[in-house]
Amino acid sequence: MVKPGDYAEAAFTRNGSDEPNQHVAVIGWGGPLRYRSGPFDVTWSDGGGTFTANESSVRRVFRSDMLTPEELYTELSEAPDVASCAATVNTWVHDGALLHVNIGSAPGARDIAVIRSFHGARFLTHDKDFYLENVHCEGGITGALHFDAVATRNIVGVNCTFRYSAPSNPTALQDAARVRRTNGLVAFFDCDASGGAKDGWSFHEDGTPGMHVLLLGCSGWRNGFSTATSCNGFTTHDGVRAILLGGDFGLSRNGTEVHVIQSTETWAAGCHAVARDVDGSSVAFKCSNDALMWLQDCSGDAAGQTENYALQANAGTVFTRGFSALAGAWRSARVALLRHFEKAVRPVPSSLARPRACAPKFRSVRRHAGCCSR
């Protein structure tokens, strides 16, 4: 149990130097535990056109006093030099000695979230059960949350947020929340993974089979930073089995909002995905390779690009019941395999029936074999 409050910079596992070797529960007791890989209070000086602070190793900069509709910090754009920063509102630049920001006025001490080059909640060797509750992580050069060890264990998070991962290397962009090589249950309840440098939620077996993912009431918004591609709000790989209940995902920079890949199996019920991409195609839900996806009472909203797909079967097989394309088309190369079972549509039962039990009444979409990197 951890006293609620703000913990900054190297405070989480001493920047990755001290990892536990036992079963662990980290609970913000009596209030939120907030960790940021940067300061919570910054002293600003008037630099004439910009305001400056003595902060080094800066990776991303956000306005915490200006929130998006999803209640995320608004990111400042990095300017090429101090003169450009001074001329452009909502930009930042580091000149090698000082951090410069321009938000059109003097920032308050807690108005700017400076994300520096520290690790987030990173666990590369810990291989025991892990429980998190009321923990909120901002930043992290290997992700705001990252479990990597080969392990047979369970990971559970309740009422947590993992946001604004910031890479130490622009070519090695990392997810907001990533779990790899875990044989067991990986479950998150009322949690959010947003503003990641690459994906929001990312789950990989990577040679360790047996990962079973459950997300209930979780979300992932505005993922993808800088030159990152294939950015997803939620994605599974290898043979991961996943259940998504009542999730919201959207506005990733370049990729698909919900993308299941390889031989994964995923059931999503009551989920909503909004795609507004920047690379020429917007895709809300995508199923690739030999993956199976069940969509029950879900909705896809894809718009703003040359190609817009609320649902795309990219070699994978998708079963739908009560799926709504609010904007964008359905895409499948083998249209003859579309079968309509709309008369069998029923609301999601309160008992949350298992996906396999629902599969015979679903509508099937399948495309030719192949792989898409997005």
Side-chain angles (χ1 to χ4, degrees), residues 12-13 15-21 119-128 130 140-151 153 155 174 178-182 206:
F12 215 114
T13 67
N15 200 31
S17 298
D18 294 326
E19 293 195 18
N21 59 10
H119 288 292
R122 183 198 73 160
F123 302 95
L124 301 187
T125 62
H126 182 265
D127 59 0
K128 304 295 192 299
F130 208 112
I141 56 176
T142 54
L145 179 71
H146 185 182
F147 290 98
D148 200 85
V150 174
R153 45 97 174 267
I155 298 170
Q174 297 295 332
R178 166 181 277 207
V179 180
R180 300 177 63 230
R181 304 191 295 183
T182 290
D206 285 338

Side-chain angles (χ1 to χ4, degrees), residues 36-365:
R36 179 183 293 167
S37 62
F40 282 92
D41 294 275
V42 180
T43 300
W44 298 99
S45 301
D46 190 341
T50 66
F51 284 83
T52 64
N54 187 20
E55 298 290 344
S56 61
S57 302
V58 177
R59 296 294 174 255
R60 300 176 76 178
V61 180
F62 296 83
R63 290 189 63 169
S64 53
D65 66 330
M66 180 185 294
L67 302 183
T68 70
E70 303 78 34
E71 299 187 349
L72 303 173
Y73 300 159
T74 298
E75 185 160 13
L76 302 187
S77 300
E78 185 175 5
D81 50 50
V82 175
S84 299
C85 182
T88 311
V89 175
N90 288 329
T91 61
W92 71 278
V93 70
H94 202 286
D95 65 4
L98 295 172
L99 169 64
H100 297 253
V101 302
N102 178 2
I103 63 170
S105 61
R110 298 178 73 92
D111 288 347
I112 304 294
V114 179
I115 305 301
R116 299 182 63 211
S117 187
F118 290 99
H119 288 292
R122 183 198 73 160
F123 302 95
L124 301 187
T125 62
H126 182 265
D127 59 0
K128 304 295 192 299
D129 290 347
F130 208 112
Y131 178 84
L132 298 128
E133 182 176 345
N134 216 5
V135 175
H136 305 276
C137 296
E138 299 176 5
I141 56 176
T142 54
L145 179 71
H146 185 182
F147 290 98
D148 200 85
V150 174
T152 297
R153 45 97 174 267
N154 300 312
I155 298 170
V156 177
V158 178
N159 188 31
C160 296
T161 58
F162 312 104
R163 296 173 172 170
Y164 318 125
S165 57
S168 59
N169 184 337
T171 63
L173 302 170
Q174 297 295 332
D175 312 313
R178 166 181 277 207
V179 180
R180 300 177 63 230
R181 304 191 295 183
T182 290
N183 172 17
L185 174 66
V186 179
F188 292 91
F189 304 88
D190 296 317
C191 294
D192 177 77
S194 293
K198 195 173 183 299
D199 296 333
W201 298 99
S202 181
F203 302 95
H204 296 248
E205 286 185 335
D206 285 338
T208 302
M211 185 184 298
H212 293 77
V213 173
L214 170 63
L215 266 60
L216 173 62
C218 294
S219 54
W221 289 94
R222 297 185 183 273
N223 290 286
F225 166 71
S226 183
T227 59
T229 60
S230 188
C231 303
N232 314 119
F234 170 90
T235 185
T236 52
H237 294 253
D238 311 306
V240 173
R241 272 60 174 169
I243 295 176
L244 307 179
L245 302 175
D248 295 295
F249 309 92
L251 306 182
S252 296
R253 182 183 178 280
N254 184 315
T256 299
E257 300 311 323
V258 176
H259 194 183
V260 296
I261 302 169
Q262 295 165 327
S263 60
T264 58
E265 295 183 11
T266 304
W267 177 44
C271 295
H272 181 53
V274 180
R276 300 290 188 271
D277 216 330
V278 298
D279 68 345
S281 65
S282 290
V283 184
F285 291 89
K286 180 185 283 189
C287 186
S288 297
N289 307 115
D290 294 322
L292 299 175
M293 175 187 278
W294 289 263
L295 298 178
Q296 180 172 354
D297 297 318
C298 293
S299 61
D301 181 344
Q305 296 297 306
T306 304
E307 296 182 328
N308 303 290
Y309 301 110
L311 171 59
Q312 183 178 14
N314 182 47
T317 301
V318 182
F319 301 90
T320 69
R321 189 172 73 180
F323 180 81
S324 299
L326 303 181
W330 297 43
R331 183 180 181 184
S332 173
R334 298 175 64 180
V335 180
L337 287 183
L338 288 172
R339 297 196 302 271
H340 296 269
F341 292 101
E342 294 306 316
K343 291 183 180 179
V345 173
R346 293 193 300 269
V348 178
S350 58
S351 58
L352 298 175
R354 293 176 298 174
R356 290 189 181 277
C358 300
K361 296 180 181 179
F362 279 72
R363 174 181 177 185
S364 174
V365 183

